Amino acid sequence: MLPARNRMTRSTDFRVTVSRGVRSAQRDLVVHSLAPRDFGDADSDTADAPKVGLVVGKSVGNAVQRHRVSRQLRHASRDLLPELQSGELLVIRALPGSREAATATLQDELRVAVQRAHAKSGSRP
């Protein structure tokens, strides 16, 4: 489970991250990353902890399959929190193939996608 301070809950955060963030795709998921310096109009409370949001649509499967994928991605993103910048916003969108993917596969894909997004934005080496 993600700590409450690391959960993205506001729809405006999702919208800004997806529209202005750096996109990085993998086979089973897409990551949108927005560094804190890229959103000057955001609230000051977002500047302390990185926030992660999940988008798992109906194309992934029925409710049971979507919740399973959500749990796997939450677990993977919790392990990834130390690699995120303070105040960074991260949206993870699950693709239909994620329903058959193993947890380890999703973790690896998420790590690679975040590293690529950081490389594109120049925020991490």
Side-chain angles (χ1 to χ4, degrees), residues 39-52:
F39 54 92
D41 58 343
D43 293 338
S44 62
D45 65 342
T46 61
D48 54 317
K51 295 198 182 291
V52 177

Side-chain angles (χ1 to χ4, degrees), residues 18-111:
V18 171
S19 65
R20 293 180 12 196
V22 175
R23 180 182 181 274
S24 177
Q26 289 290 304
R27 187 173 46 118
D28 299 320
L29 52 88
V30 176
V31 169
H32 299 270
S33 173
L34 188 64
R37 69 181 185 289
D38 295 336
F39 54 92
D41 58 343
D43 293 338
S44 62
D45 65 342
T46 61
D48 54 317
K51 295 198 182 291
V52 177
L54 300 176
V55 178
V56 184
K58 287 188 177 183
S59 65
V60 171
N62 62 30
V64 173
Q65 293 166 329
R66 291 193 309 269
H67 287 158
R68 179 178 173 270
V69 169
S70 295
R71 285 191 305 272
Q72 289 174 314
L73 291 175
R74 272 196 304 271
H75 176 73
S77 61
R78 183 188 65 208
D79 294 341
L80 196 67
L81 286 175
E83 297 179 27
L84 299 178
Q85 288 182 326
S86 177
E88 181 175 353
L89 299 179
L90 189 75
V91 172
I92 305 165
R93 183 167 47 94
L95 298 176
S98 63
R99 105 179 119 237
E100 279 97 24
T103 303
T105 302
L106 290 176
Q107 286 176 327
D108 293 341
E109 288 186 12
L110 180 59
R111 188 170 307 283

